[in-house]
Amino acid sequence: MNVLVTGGAGYIGSVCVEELINQGHSVVVIDNLQEGHREAVLFEAVLYEGDFGDKKLLKEIFEAYKIEAVIHFAAETTVEFSMTDPQKYFINNIVNGITLLEVMKDYGCKRFIFSSTAATFGEPEYTPIDESHIQKPINAYGESKLMFEKILDWHHIAYGLKFNAFRYFNAAGASAKLGEDHRHESHLIPIVLKTAYNVRLDKAVRGLKVFGRDYPTTDGTCVRDYIHVVDLARAHILALDNLNSHPNSKYNMGNGKGFSVLQVIEISKKVTGVDVPYEFAEKRPGDPAILVASSDKFRKETGWSPLYPDLEIIVKTAWEWHSKYPDGY
Ligand code: UDP
């Protein structure tokens, strides 16, 4: 299949491109390289550097390639910044997304896989969170993604768009070639591993900050559900076929098991051999205590199951990548 991947130079997008290529698909990537890296796009894919909301560029791509499906990763994604500059999130995640859907409609492309987020749920009322859980986002990032999920519903009803939306919980880990390299790193596992790497080099390191110690969890730190990036990527490719039997479905994607921040630090110690220094700090605004997904719906409907459900393996793959590319791409 000819697949257009927006944000295909980013963390999850680039691994998805790798899986698509491994499975014999032809891939065109559009990425403005604001967060993504040119080096993360495998040479077998065609890379267009630009905005996915640029109608002229999109038309050029749709004219040049017979695009049969779009996997849409590109977005503004940092919760913290979404609270100080929400307009940017609404413009990129909604307005530009509508332009993309419009061009798809003009060219008769009806297959769409969307990167949504656990942040569409807000403060959980129960865990694990399944698809029937109420969606009440507590930040503008989650709100923008939820709005776009609703836009997809209407495109399905009115124009016959077939879509699957994935609410990611915490993507982590790496493939052999591709890993996590954000320009502004805010995620726990890469921060822990960077700290471990620097401790090993005897660099003077500042301990990592553990945000909050009195959450209602077993050890007082936040609990998250970590899913291997390759398992997520595989899910997107399964979804391309799943569109035929489930043309308007939304799925929560995680491993169904939660780990606290302190447990992640402990597992990282086992993997790296480094006792990572940390200190407790203020809670981070907008962090729910526990976020664990039920992915039963996607498992049942597609037969998907994670190849790497074990957090130690997930951290190990991230560590191997980080040790190979300590300065990122
Ligand atoms: N976290 C932390 N210190 C850090 C980064 C993250 O204690 O330097 C915590 C954060 O508060 C959350 C968990 O680790 O409870 C996972 O955070 P991350 O940013 O990786 O993912 P999120 O769950 O926010 O999507």
Side-chain angles (χ1 to χ4, degrees), residues 228-250:
H228 199 285
V229 65
V230 169
D231 284 326
L232 260 188
R234 288 172 47 246
H236 287 73
I237 296 153
L238 276 175
L240 289 174
D241 285 334
N242 187 50
L243 290 173
N244 296 327
S245 45
H246 300 96
N248 60 336
S249 277
K250 298 156 191 169

mmCIF file with all atom_site columns, all heavy atoms in Angstrom, residues 228-250:
data_model
loop_
_atom_site.group_PDB
_atom_site.id
_atom_site.type_symbol
_atom_site.label_atom_id
_atom_site.label_alt_id
_atom_site.label_comp_id
_atom_site.label_asym_id
_atom_site.label_entity_id
_atom_site.label_seq_id
_atom_site.pdbx_PDB_ins_code
_atom_site.Cartn_x
_atom_site.Cartn_y
_atom_site.Cartn_z
_atom_site.occupancy
_atom_site.B_iso_or_equiv
_atom_site.pdbx_formal_charge
_atom_site.auth_seq_id
_atom_site.auth_comp_id
_atom_site.auth_asym_id
_atom_site.auth_atom_id
_atom_site.pdbx_PDB_model_num
ATOM 1   N N   . HIS A 1 228 ? 5.948   -0.713 24.391 1.00 0.00 ? 228 HIS A N   1
ATOM 2   C CA  . HIS A 1 228 ? 7.107   -0.633 23.494 1.00 0.00 ? 228 HIS A CA  1
ATOM 3   C C   . HIS A 1 228 ? 6.715   0.018  22.168 1.00 0.00 ? 228 HIS A C   1
ATOM 4   O O   . HIS A 1 228 ? 5.694   -0.312 21.577 1.00 0.00 ? 228 HIS A O   1
ATOM 5   C CB  . HIS A 1 228 ? 7.685   -2.024 23.237 1.00 0.00 ? 228 HIS A CB  1
ATOM 6   C CG  . HIS A 1 228 ? 9.084   -1.968 22.720 1.00 0.00 ? 228 HIS A CG  1
ATOM 7   N ND1 . HIS A 1 228 ? 9.378   -1.609 21.426 1.00 0.00 ? 228 HIS A ND1 1
ATOM 8   C CD2 . HIS A 1 228 ? 10.272  -2.182 23.328 1.00 0.00 ? 228 HIS A CD2 1
ATOM 9   C CE1 . HIS A 1 228 ? 10.695  -1.613 21.258 1.00 0.00 ? 228 HIS A CE1 1
ATOM 10  N NE2 . HIS A 1 228 ? 11.260  -1.968 22.409 1.00 0.00 ? 228 HIS A NE2 1
ATOM 11  N N   . VAL A 1 229 ? 7.580   0.909  21.708 1.00 0.00 ? 229 VAL A N   1
ATOM 12  C CA  . VAL A 1 229 ? 7.286   1.680  20.493 1.00 0.00 ? 229 VAL A CA  1
ATOM 13  C C   . VAL A 1 229 ? 7.104   0.772  19.275 1.00 0.00 ? 229 VAL A C   1
ATOM 14  O O   . VAL A 1 229 ? 6.285   1.061  18.393 1.00 0.00 ? 229 VAL A O   1
ATOM 15  C CB  . VAL A 1 229 ? 8.388   2.749  20.281 1.00 0.00 ? 229 VAL A CB  1
ATOM 16  C CG1 . VAL A 1 229 ? 9.745   2.131  20.008 1.00 0.00 ? 229 VAL A CG1 1
ATOM 17  C CG2 . VAL A 1 229 ? 8.022   3.758  19.214 1.00 0.00 ? 229 VAL A CG2 1
ATOM 18  N N   . VAL A 1 230 ? 7.799   -0.360 19.236 1.00 0.00 ? 230 VAL A N   1
ATOM 19  C CA  . VAL A 1 230 ? 7.641   -1.281 18.103 1.00 0.00 ? 230 VAL A CA  1
ATOM 20  C C   . VAL A 1 230 ? 6.260   -1.941 18.158 1.00 0.00 ? 230 VAL A C   1
ATOM 21  O O   . VAL A 1 230 ? 5.611   -2.139 17.128 1.00 0.00 ? 230 VAL A O   1
ATOM 22  C CB  . VAL A 1 230 ? 8.781   -2.333 18.082 1.00 0.00 ? 230 VAL A CB  1
ATOM 23  C CG1 . VAL A 1 230 ? 8.486   -3.443 17.076 1.00 0.00 ? 230 VAL A CG1 1
ATOM 24  C CG2 . VAL A 1 230 ? 10.117  -1.664 17.764 1.00 0.00 ? 230 VAL A CG2 1
ATOM 25  N N   . ASP A 1 231 ? 5.786   -2.249 19.358 1.00 0.00 ? 231 ASP A N   1
ATOM 26  C CA  . ASP A 1 231 ? 4.438   -2.814 19.487 1.00 0.00 ? 231 ASP A CA  1
ATOM 27  C C   . ASP A 1 231 ? 3.377   -1.806 19.048 1.00 0.00 ? 231 ASP A C   1
ATOM 28  O O   . ASP A 1 231 ? 2.385   -2.169 18.407 1.00 0.00 ? 231 ASP A O   1
ATOM 29  C CB  . ASP A 1 231 ? 4.192   -3.260 20.933 1.00 0.00 ? 231 ASP A CB  1
ATOM 30  C CG  . ASP A 1 231 ? 4.919   -4.567 21.239 1.00 0.00 ? 231 ASP A CG  1
ATOM 31  O OD1 . ASP A 1 231 ? 5.032   -5.407 20.330 1.00 0.00 ? 231 ASP A OD1 1
ATOM 32  O OD2 . ASP A 1 231 ? 5.386   -4.732 22.385 1.00 0.00 ? 231 ASP A OD2 1
ATOM 33  N N   . LEU A 1 232 ? 3.607   -0.552 19.365 1.00 0.00 ? 232 LEU A N   1
ATOM 34  C CA  . LEU A 1 232 ? 2.676   0.490  18.915 1.00 0.00 ? 232 LEU A CA  1
ATOM 35  C C   . LEU A 1 232 ? 2.701   0.591  17.396 1.00 0.00 ? 232 LEU A C   1
ATOM 36  O O   . LEU A 1 232 ? 1.653   0.663  16.748 1.00 0.00 ? 232 LEU A O   1
ATOM 37  C CB  . LEU A 1 232 ? 3.129   1.843  19.470 1.00 0.00 ? 232 LEU A CB  1
ATOM 38  C CG  . LEU A 1 232 ? 2.454   2.406  20.699 1.00 0.00 ? 232 LEU A CG  1
ATOM 39  C CD1 . LEU A 1 232 ? 2.921   3.830  20.938 1.00 0.00 ? 232 LEU A CD1 1
ATOM 40  C CD2 . LEU A 1 232 ? 0.936   2.381  20.576 1.00 0.00 ? 232 LEU A CD2 1
ATOM 41  N N   . ALA A 1 233 ? 3.914   0.602  16.841 1.00 0.00 ? 233 ALA A N   1
ATOM 42  C CA  . ALA A 1 233 ? 4.056   0.725  15.386 1.00 0.00 ? 233 ALA A CA  1
ATOM 43  C C   . ALA A 1 233 ? 3.340   -0.438 14.690 1.00 0.00 ? 233 ALA A C   1
ATOM 44  O O   . ALA A 1 233 ? 2.598   -0.240 13.723 1.00 0.00 ? 233 ALA A O   1
ATOM 45  C CB  . ALA A 1 233 ? 5.530   0.747  15.009 1.00 0.00 ? 233 ALA A CB  1
ATOM 46  N N   . ARG A 1 234 ? 3.519   -1.645 15.222 1.00 0.00 ? 234 ARG A N   1
ATOM 47  C CA  . ARG A 1 234 ? 2.861   -2.821 14.627 1.00 0.00 ? 234 ARG A CA  1
ATOM 48  C C   . ARG A 1 234 ? 1.347   -2.673 14.658 1.00 0.00 ? 234 ARG A C   1
ATOM 49  O O   . ARG A 1 234 ? 0.639   -3.085 13.743 1.00 0.00 ? 234 ARG A O   1
ATOM 50  C CB  . ARG A 1 234 ? 3.267   -4.091 15.377 1.00 0.00 ? 234 ARG A CB  1
ATOM 51  C CG  . ARG A 1 234 ? 4.717   -4.530 15.104 1.00 0.00 ? 234 ARG A CG  1
ATOM 52  C CD  . ARG A 1 234 ? 5.127   -5.691 16.019 1.00 0.00 ? 234 ARG A CD  1
ATOM 53  N NE  . ARG A 1 234 ? 4.156   -6.755 16.077 1.00 0.00 ? 234 ARG A NE  1
ATOM 54  C CZ  . ARG A 1 234 ? 3.450   -7.097 17.165 1.00 0.00 ? 234 ARG A CZ  1
ATOM 55  N NH1 . ARG A 1 234 ? 3.631   -6.467 18.312 1.00 0.00 ? 234 ARG A NH1 1
ATOM 56  N NH2 . ARG A 1 234 ? 2.576   -8.072 17.130 1.00 0.00 ? 234 ARG A NH2 1
ATOM 57  N N   . ALA A 1 235 ? 0.854   -2.058 15.742 1.00 0.00 ? 235 ALA A N   1
ATOM 58  C CA  . ALA A 1 235 ? -0.600  -1.865 15.869 1.00 0.00 ? 235 ALA A CA  1
ATOM 59  C C   . ALA A 1 235 ? -1.128  -0.977 14.735 1.00 0.00 ? 235 ALA A C   1
ATOM 60  O O   . ALA A 1 235 ? -2.204  -1.233 14.181 1.00 0.00 ? 235 ALA A O   1
ATOM 61  C CB  . ALA A 1 235 ? -0.919  -1.236 17.225 1.00 0.00 ? 235 ALA A CB  1
ATOM 62  N N   . HIS A 1 236 ? -0.359  0.043  14.361 1.00 0.00 ? 236 HIS A N   1
ATOM 63  C CA  . HIS A 1 236 ? -0.812  0.951  13.297 1.00 0.00 ? 236 HIS A CA  1
ATOM 64  C C   . HIS A 1 236 ? -0.943  0.221  11.965 1.00 0.00 ? 236 HIS A C   1
ATOM 65  O O   . HIS A 1 236 ? -1.835  0.499  11.169 1.00 0.00 ? 236 HIS A O   1
ATOM 66  C CB  . HIS A 1 236 ? 0.172   2.102  13.129 1.00 0.00 ? 236 HIS A CB  1
ATOM 67  C CG  . HIS A 1 236 ? 0.098   3.089  14.248 1.00 0.00 ? 236 HIS A CG  1
ATOM 68  N ND1 . HIS A 1 236 ? 0.583   2.812  15.495 1.00 0.00 ? 236 HIS A ND1 1
ATOM 69  C CD2 . HIS A 1 236 ? -0.433  4.331  14.328 1.00 0.00 ? 236 HIS A CD2 1
ATOM 70  C CE1 . HIS A 1 236 ? 0.363   3.852  16.277 1.00 0.00 ? 236 HIS A CE1 1
ATOM 71  N NE2 . HIS A 1 236 ? -0.249  4.778  15.606 1.00 0.00 ? 236 HIS A NE2 1
ATOM 72  N N   . ILE A 1 237 ? -0.037  -0.713 11.737 1.00 0.00 ? 237 ILE A N   1
ATOM 73  C CA  . ILE A 1 237 ? -0.058  -1.412 10.453 1.00 0.00 ? 237 ILE A CA  1
ATOM 74  C C   . ILE A 1 237 ? -1.203  -2.426 10.428 1.00 0.00 ? 237 ILE A C   1
ATOM 75  O O   . ILE A 1 237 ? -1.902  -2.562 9.431  1.00 0.00 ? 237 ILE A O   1
ATOM 76  C CB  . ILE A 1 237 ? 1.327   -2.010 10.173 1.00 0.00 ? 237 ILE A CB  1
ATOM 77  C CG1 . ILE A 1 237 ? 2.294   -0.822 10.043 1.00 0.00 ? 237 ILE A CG1 1
ATOM 78  C CG2 . ILE A 1 237 ? 1.324   -2.857 8.907  1.00 0.00 ? 237 ILE A CG2 1
ATOM 79  C CD1 . ILE A 1 237 ? 3.695   -1.113 10.377 1.00 0.00 ? 237 ILE A CD1 1
ATOM 80  N N   . LEU A 1 238 ? -1.438  -3.067 11.580 1.00 0.00 ? 238 LEU A N   1
ATOM 81  C CA  . LEU A 1 238 ? -2.612  -3.947 11.679 1.00 0.00 ? 238 LEU A CA  1
ATOM 82  C C   . LEU A 1 238 ? -3.891  -3.144 11.455 1.00 0.00 ? 238 LEU A C   1
ATOM 83  O O   . LEU A 1 238 ? -4.847  -3.623 10.844 1.00 0.00 ? 238 LEU A O   1
ATOM 84  C CB  . LEU A 1 238 ? -2.690  -4.563 13.081 1.00 0.00 ? 238 LEU A CB  1
ATOM 85  C CG  . LEU A 1 238 ? -1.866  -5.799 13.358 1.00 0.00 ? 238 LEU A CG  1
ATOM 86  C CD1 . LEU A 1 238 ? -1.999  -6.181 14.837 1.00 0.00 ? 238 LEU A CD1 1
ATOM 87  C CD2 . LEU A 1 238 ? -2.353  -6.965 12.491 1.00 0.00 ? 238 LEU A CD2 1
ATOM 88  N N   . ALA A 1 239 ? -3.876  -1.919 11.951 1.00 0.00 ? 239 ALA A N   1
ATOM 89  C CA  . ALA A 1 239 ? -5.075  -1.068 11.843 1.00 0.00 ? 239 ALA A CA  1
ATOM 90  C C   . ALA A 1 239 ? -5.414  -0.776 10.383 1.00 0.00 ? 239 ALA A C   1
ATOM 91  O O   . ALA A 1 239 ? -6.590  -0.623 10.036 1.00 0.00 ? 239 ALA A O   1
ATOM 92  C CB  . ALA A 1 239 ? -4.873  0.227  12.618 1.00 0.00 ? 239 ALA A CB  1
ATOM 93  N N   . LEU A 1 240 ? -4.417  -0.717 9.521  1.00 0.00 ? 240 LEU A N   1
ATOM 94  C CA  . LEU A 1 240 ? -4.700  -0.448 8.097  1.00 0.00 ? 240 LEU A CA  1
ATOM 95  C C   . LEU A 1 240 ? -5.656  -1.504 7.537  1.00 0.00 ? 240 LEU A C   1
ATOM 96  O O   . LEU A 1 240 ? -6.533  -1.192 6.736  1.00 0.00 ? 240 LEU A O   1
ATOM 97  C CB  . LEU A 1 240 ? -3.400  -0.427 7.281  1.00 0.00 ? 240 LEU A CB  1
ATOM 98  C CG  . LEU A 1 240 ? -2.468  0.765  7.500  1.00 0.00 ? 240 LEU A CG  1
ATOM 99  C CD1 . LEU A 1 240 ? -1.173  0.557  6.721  1.00 0.00 ? 240 LEU A CD1 1
ATOM 100 C CD2 . LEU A 1 240 ? -3.136  2.071  7.083  1.00 0.00 ? 240 LEU A CD2 1
ATOM 101 N N   . ASP A 1 241 ? -5.481  -2.766 7.958  1.00 0.00 ? 241 ASP A N   1
ATOM 102 C CA  . ASP A 1 241 ? -6.402  -3.827 7.523  1.00 0.00 ? 241 ASP A CA  1
ATOM 103 C C   . ASP A 1 241 ? -7.687  -3.808 8.334  1.00 0.00 ? 241 ASP A C   1
ATOM 104 O O   . ASP A 1 241 ? -8.777  -4.060 7.818  1.00 0.00 ? 241 ASP A O   1
ATOM 105 C CB  . ASP A 1 241 ? -5.744  -5.206 7.713  1.00 0.00 ? 241 ASP A CB  1
ATOM 106 C CG  . ASP A 1 241 ? -4.700  -5.459 6.648  1.00 0.00 ? 241 ASP A CG  1
ATOM 107 O OD1 . ASP A 1 241 ? -4.822  -4.866 5.564  1.00 0.00 ? 241 ASP A OD1 1
ATOM 108 O OD2 . ASP A 1 241 ? -3.747  -6.231 6.912  1.00 0.00 ? 241 ASP A OD2 1
ATOM 109 N N   . ASN A 1 242 ? -7.522  -3.491 9.614  1.00 0.00 ? 242 ASN A N   1
ATOM 110 C CA  . ASN A 1 242 ? -8.669  -3.487 10.525 1.00 0.00 ? 242 ASN A CA  1
ATOM 111 C C   . ASN A 1 242 ? -9.760  -2.497 10.092 1.00 0.00 ? 242 ASN A C   1
ATOM 112 O O   . ASN A 1 242 ? -10.925 -2.645 10.448 1.00 0.00 ? 242 ASN A O   1
ATOM 113 C CB  . ASN A 1 242 ? -8.149  -3.129 11.929 1.00 0.00 ? 242 ASN A CB  1
ATOM 114 C CG  . ASN A 1 242 ? -9.198  -3.246 12.999 1.00 0.00 ? 242 ASN A CG  1
ATOM 115 O OD1 . ASN A 1 242 ? -9.880  -4.266 13.095 1.00 0.00 ? 242 ASN A OD1 1
ATOM 116 N ND2 . ASN A 1 242 ? -9.375  -2.199 13.794 1.00 0.00 ? 242 ASN A ND2 1
ATOM 117 N N   . LEU A 1 243 ? -9.353  -1.480 9.301  1.00 0.00 ? 243 LEU A N   1
ATOM 118 C CA  . LEU A 1 243 ? -10.319 -0.469 8.854  1.00 0.00 ? 243 LEU A CA  1
ATOM 119 C C   . LEU A 1 243 ? -11.488 -1.096 8.088  1.00 0.00 ? 243 LEU A C   1
ATOM 120 O O   . LEU A 1 243 ? -12.599 -0.569 8.114  1.00 0.00 ? 243 LEU A O   1
ATOM 121 C CB  . LEU A 1 243 ? -9.622  0.541  7.935  1.00 0.00 ? 243 LEU A CB  1
ATOM 122 C CG  . LEU A 1 243 ? -8.613  1.483  8.577  1.00 0.00 ? 243 LEU A CG  1
ATOM 123 C CD1 . LEU A 1 243 ? -7.894  2.301  7.507  1.00 0.00 ? 243 LEU A CD1 1
ATOM 124 C CD2 . LEU A 1 243 ? -9.318  2.415  9.562  1.00 0.00 ? 243 LEU A CD2 1
ATOM 125 N N   . ASN A 1 244 ? -11.231 -2.215 7.426  1.00 0.00 ? 244 ASN A N   1
ATOM 126 C CA  . ASN A 1 244 ? -12.308 -2.840 6.645  1.00 0.00 ? 244 ASN A CA  1
ATOM 127 C C   . ASN A 1 244 ? -13.421 -3.351 7.553  1.00 0.00 ? 244 ASN A C   1
ATOM 128 O O   . ASN A 1 244 ? -14.597 -3.175 7.262  1.00 0.00 ? 244 ASN A O   1
ATOM 129 C CB  . ASN A 1 244 ? -11.751 -4.002 5.809  1.00 0.00 ? 244 ASN A CB  1
ATOM 130 C CG  . ASN A 1 244 ? -10.764 -3.493 4.780  1.00 0.00 ? 244 ASN A CG  1
ATOM 131 O OD1 . ASN A 1 244 ? -10.925 -2.384 4.264  1.00 0.00 ? 244 ASN A OD1 1
ATOM 132 N ND2 . ASN A 1 244 ? -9.735  -4.270 4.506  1.00 0.00 ? 244 ASN A ND2 1
ATOM 133 N N   . SER A 1 245 ? -13.033 -3.981 8.678  1.00 0.00 ? 245 SER A N   1
ATOM 134 C CA  . SER A 1 245 ? -14.064 -4.532 9.567  1.00 0.00 ? 245 SER A CA  1
ATOM 135 C C   . SER A 1 245 ? -14.470 -3.538 10.665 1.00 0.00 ? 245 SER A C   1
ATOM 136 O O   . SER A 1 245 ? -15.563 -3.646 11.217 1.00 0.00 ? 245 SER A O   1
ATOM 137 C CB  . SER A 1 245 ? -13.582 -5.838 10.189 1.00 0.00 ? 245 SER A CB  1
ATOM 138 O OG  . SER A 1 245 ? -12.264 -5.693 10.641 1.00 0.00 ? 245 SER A OG  1
ATOM 139 N N   . HIS A 1 246 ? -13.586 -2.585 11.000 1.00 0.00 ? 246 HIS A N   1
ATOM 140 C CA  . HIS A 1 246 ? -13.900 -1.607 12.052 1.00 0.00 ? 246 HIS A CA  1
ATOM 141 C C   . HIS A 1 246 ? -13.556 -0.208 11.545 1.00 0.00 ? 246 HIS A C   1
ATOM 142 O O   . HIS A 1 246 ? -12.493 0.327  11.858 1.00 0.00 ? 246 HIS A O   1
ATOM 143 C CB  . HIS A 1 246 ? -13.118 -1.936 13.327 1.00 0.00 ? 246 HIS A CB  1
ATOM 144 C CG  . HIS A 1 246 ? -13.433 -3.295 13.865 1.00 0.00 ? 246 HIS A CG  1
ATOM 145 N ND1 . HIS A 1 246 ? -12.676 -4.411 13.586 1.00 0.00 ? 246 HIS A ND1 1
ATOM 146 C CD2 . HIS A 1 246 ? -14.457 -3.713 14.646 1.00 0.00 ? 246 HIS A CD2 1
ATOM 147 C CE1 . HIS A 1 246 ? -13.215 -5.466 14.169 1.00 0.00 ? 246 HIS A CE1 1
ATOM 148 N NE2 . HIS A 1 246 ? -14.298 -5.077 14.818 1.00 0.00 ? 246 HIS A NE2 1
ATOM 149 N N   . PRO A 1 247 ? -14.447 0.375  10.747 1.00 0.00 ? 247 PRO A N   1
ATOM 150 C CA  . PRO A 1 247 ? -14.089 1.612  10.039 1.00 0.00 ? 247 PRO A CA  1
ATOM 151 C C   . PRO A 1 247 ? -14.202 2.894  10.859 1.00 0.00 ? 247 PRO A C   1
ATOM 152 O O   . PRO A 1 247 ? -13.928 3.972  10.325 1.00 0.00 ? 247 PRO A O   1
ATOM 153 C CB  . PRO A 1 247 ? -15.077 1.633  8.873  1.00 0.00 ? 247 PRO A CB  1
ATOM 154 C CG  . PRO A 1 247 ? -16.248 0.856  9.362  1.00 0.00 ? 247 PRO A CG  1
ATOM 155 C CD  . PRO A 1 247 ? -15.759 -0.147 10.342 1.00 0.00 ? 247 PRO A CD  1
ATOM 156 N N   . ASN A 1 248 ? -14.612 2.826  12.097 1.00 0.00 ? 248 ASN A N   1
ATOM 157 C CA  . ASN A 1 248 ? -14.660 4.047  12.922 1.00 0.00 ? 248 ASN A CA  1
ATOM 158 C C   . ASN A 1 248 ? -14.380 3.690  14.387 1.00 0.00 ? 248 ASN A C   1
ATOM 159 O O   . ASN A 1 248 ? -15.194 3.940  15.260 1.00 0.00 ? 248 ASN A O   1
ATOM 160 C CB  . ASN A 1 248 ? -16.012 4.764  12.798 1.00 0.00 ? 248 ASN A CB  1
ATOM 161 C CG  . ASN A 1 248 ? -17.169 3.898  13.237 1.00 0.00 ? 248 ASN A CG  1
ATOM 162 O OD1 . ASN A 1 248 ? -17.068 2.676  13.222 1.00 0.00 ? 248 ASN A OD1 1
ATOM 163 N ND2 . ASN A 1 248 ? -18.258 4.519  13.636 1.00 0.00 ? 248 ASN A ND2 1
ATOM 164 N N   . SER A 1 249 ? -13.207 3.122  14.626 1.00 0.00 ? 249 SER A N   1
ATOM 165 C CA  . SER A 1 249 ? -12.919 2.613  15.970 1.00 0.00 ? 249 SER A CA  1
ATOM 166 C C   . SER A 1 249 ? -11.811 3.386  16.651 1.00 0.00 ? 249 SER A C   1
ATOM 167 O O   . SER A 1 249 ? -10.890 3.869  16.010 1.00 0.00 ? 249 SER A O   1
ATOM 168 C CB  . SER A 1 249 ? -12.525 1.145  15.898 1.00 0.00 ? 249 SER A CB  1
ATOM 169 O OG  . SER A 1 249 ? -13.686 0.356  15.856 1.00 0.00 ? 249 SER A OG  1
ATOM 170 N N   . LYS A 1 250 ? -11.927 3.430  17.981 1.00 0.00 ? 250 LYS A N   1
ATOM 171 C CA  . LYS A 1 250 ? -10.915 4.095  18.809 1.00 0.00 ? 250 LYS A CA  1
ATOM 172 C C   . LYS A 1 250 ? -10.399 3.064  19.814 1.00 0.00 ? 250 LYS A C   1
ATOM 173 O O   . LYS A 1 250 ? -11.197 2.304  20.366 1.00 0.00 ? 250 LYS A O   1
ATOM 174 C CB  . LYS A 1 250 ? -11.544 5.282  19.536 1.00 0.00 ? 250 LYS A CB  1
ATOM 175 C CG  . LYS A 1 250 ? -12.064 6.330  18.557 1.00 0.00 ? 250 LYS A CG  1
ATOM 176 C CD  . LYS A 1 250 ? -13.148 7.180  19.153 1.00 0.00 ? 250 LYS A CD  1
ATOM 177 C CE  . LYS A 1 250 ? -13.802 8.016  18.075 1.00 0.00 ? 250 LYS A CE  1
ATOM 178 N NZ  . LYS A 1 250 ? -15.019 8.680  18.535 1.00 0.00 ? 250 LYS A NZ  1
#
